[in-house]
Amino acid sequence: MRKLFLAAVFTFLAAMSPPARPQEAPKPATAPTPAASTPHATPSPNDYSNPDFWLCRPGREDACSVDLTTTIVTASGKLTRETWSANPSAPIDCFYVYPTISHQPTANSDMSADPEEKGVIRQQFARFASQCRPYAPIYRQVTLAALRAAMAGTPLASDRTLVYNDIRDAWNYYLEHDNKGRGVVLIGHSQGSNVLIQLIKREIDGKPIQARIVSALLLGASVQVPRGKTVGGSFQHMPLCESAAQTGCIVTYSSFRSNVPPTGDSAIGMAHPEGTVVACTNPAALGGGSGELRAYLSAHGTILTEASARPGPWVTPEVPIDTPFVSVPGMLTAECVSNDNGAYLAVTVHSQPTDARAKDIAGDVVVNGQVLKDWGLHLIDVNEAMGNLIELVREQNKAYTAAHAKL
């Protein structure tokens, strides 16, 4: 089971990045897996002038126009409400690519906005609209069905070029018709981060458009750097972020429980070519060390409720939670921890037997009742640090706006 699972993960992750460009010399192939193959018919490119091909755009009611009210739960069991509102006058933009979420039965999804895509917007992206104008394209991603088929040993033929081309086309449409010289934060998770890594490599890193990148939040994926360096490896000109006042930089991590660290077999966020290591930037302490995670956790489940344990009662005695999100101040801390492969975000849950608040959080991947430890806390990579990421974008926005006001 373990070997089959890990093989499936590596096969699936390989499908997240497009193949080599045509002008690059192809690598010798030996028994390519079906999951890495491309269907014979060439799908038509998307026309991103179609508003239905966007989950979020500024100035309209869409997937980002949702209730993000939060119940704050203290260790003593006290409950208070926190409201939220978007900032339609935000001076910068955010461009988001969502993770593997489609429940469609095909290897690549179509261009419909299903409940799953809308749900992950609420979980991972809509809250950023307090700091930036939101843009989130739909794309024909590799689906959960493709992942499950690979795990079952019967891979589906997915088109990984299609995934990249959709995001590239959406990005180019945004630049031509919407950006108007504004700063932009790139945000992705899992498959979304892997596609953005390729987009940055090909379209942004070292090119004039890099000057407009406020930052890139590439979560739940492997960004590589030479050991001891902050730049090089995945990107030649965009370094890791080391402070909230720094712009044009990268925030990246994959999270694991501090008492269940990744092994050498872990696939999520730990793959790296020789000569590099996996990078980790702690959103709670960019300068290093440990810091408190300001989480916005789903009150009733993760982005994949069928693959995760449901949260237990948030307080004892149980009180119904009627908001979509819960915040647990003081409960979670994190620090980047290094191993032979690089670094990961080690998340520690702090609780006492006497606490009236829940003693743990949901976020592990669970299949058939078994926790898949090699996935870590992949399902809540974004939720667990949402408050920190929002604050980081707020500070980077100030720094970027101030710097460009002088030009």
Side-chain angles (χ1 to χ4, degrees):
M1 172 67 182
R2 176 181 173 82
K3 290 182 178 179
L4 175 61
F5 164 71
L6 290 172
V9 170
F10 281 113
T11 300
F12 182 69
L13 292 180
M16 297 303 96
S17 302
R21 299 189 198 188
Q23 65 266 30
E24 295 176 348
K27 297 180 180 180
T30 57
T33 62
S37 64
T38 301
H40 295 296
T42 302
S44 300
N46 287 325
D47 178 4
Y48 280 99
S49 68
N50 184 343
D52 292 338
F53 288 175
W54 295 84
L55 290 161
C56 296
R57 289 182 61 83
R60 69 179 195 178
E61 295 293 315
D62 56 25
C64 280
S65 307
V66 290
D67 179 15
L68 298 177
T69 307
T70 301
T71 298
I72 300 174
V73 184
T74 66
S76 68
K78 181 181 177 181
L79 306 181
T80 56
R81 293 171 73 89
E82 177 186 275
T83 58
W84 175 92
S85 62
N87 178 10
S89 301
I92 61 171
D93 298 338
C94 286
F95 185 94
Y96 167 72
V97 185
Y98 50 86
T100 309
I101 199 70
S102 175
H103 281 74
Q104 293 178 15
T106 50
N108 287 83
S109 63
D110 62 23
M111 290 299 292
S112 61
D114 293 334
E116 292 77 26
E117 284 83 2
K118 294 178 181 178
V120 80
I121 289 286
R122 169 179 260 179
Q123 292 288 331
Q124 294 191 344
F125 183 58
R127 198 173 294 271
F128 283 96
S130 64
Q131 307 302 320
C132 51
R133 299 192 312 175
Y135 292 87
I138 302 173
Y139 69 106
R140 289 169 285 190
Q141 72 166 207
V142 179
T143 63
L144 288 165
L147 173 58
R148 292 178 181 127
M151 293 176 68
T154 56
L156 298 175
S158 58
D159 188 343
R160 53 197 174 115
T161 302
L162 183 63
V163 175
Y164 176 77
N165 287 349
D166 280 358
I167 295 304
R168 179 204 60 199
D169 292 347
W171 171 250
N172 286 336
Y173 179 87
Y174 158 77
L175 287 180
E176 182 177 354
H177 298 278
D178 299 303
N179 178 263
K180 304 185 189 310
R182 295 160 60 91
V184 57
V185 179
L186 300 172
I187 304 172
H189 179 241
S190 195
Q191 181 172 175
S193 290
N194 281 298
V195 181
L196 283 177
I197 289 170
Q198 296 302 318
L199 183 77
I200 294 170
K201 285 181 177 179
R202 297 182 177 200
E203 306 290 337
I204 298 171
D205 190 33
K207 296 178 170 60
I209 191 62
Q210 182 181 330
R212 293 187 218 169
I213 302 301
V214 178
S215 63
L217 314 182
L218 307 176
L219 314 177
S222 295
V223 172
Q224 295 92 33
V225 293
R227 189 177 295 275
K229 304 292 185 181
T230 62
V231 69
S234 295
F235 310 123
Q236 300 308 304
H237 303 90
M238 294 182 66
L240 303 178
C241 293
E242 296 183 283
S243 79
Q246 183 181 1
T247 60
C249 55
I250 306 295
V251 172
T252 183
Y253 60 83
S254 291
S255 59
F256 293 78
R257 291 180 182 269
S258 58
N259 59 347
V260 189
T263 67
D265 292 328
S266 293
I268 295 299
M270 299 308 291
H272 63 100
E274 187 176 355
T276 66
V277 293
V278 176
C280 176
T281 50
N282 183 359
L286 288 176
S290 178
E292 180 182 346
L293 292 177
R294 299 196 293 278
Y296 284 86
L297 303 170
S298 173
H300 307 294
T302 67
I303 58 174
L304 289 177
T305 55
E306 73 276 19
S308 177
R310 293 183 63 82
W314 288 103
V315 291
T316 303
E318 183 174 3
V319 176
I321 302 295
D322 62 357
T323 62
F325 290 93
V326 166
S327 177
V328 285
M331 189 176 186
L332 303 176
T333 61
E335 63 178 327
C336 288
V337 175
S338 298
N339 63 18
D340 290 341
N341 297 310
Y344 61 95
L345 192 68
V347 177
T348 300
V349 179
H350 301 272
S351 64
Q352 298 295 328
T354 56
D355 288 351
R357 185 169 61 187
K359 306 301 187 294
D360 202 359
I361 58 171
D364 306 284
V365 177
V366 180
V367 175
N368 297 326
Q370 179 183 2
V371 174
L372 302 184
K373 298 178 180 179
D374 290 305
W375 286 80
L377 293 172
H378 190 64
L379 296 179
I380 58 169
D381 280 328
V382 182
N383 299 77
E384 70 194 14
M386 179 63 78
N388 308 87
L389 297 170
I390 295 291
E391 179 62 25
L392 172 61
V393 171
R394 178 185 291 114
E395 294 303 310
Q396 289 179 323
N397 178 2
K398 291 178 184 178
Y400 180 89
T401 302
H404 284 71
K406 299 176 183 178
L407 298 180

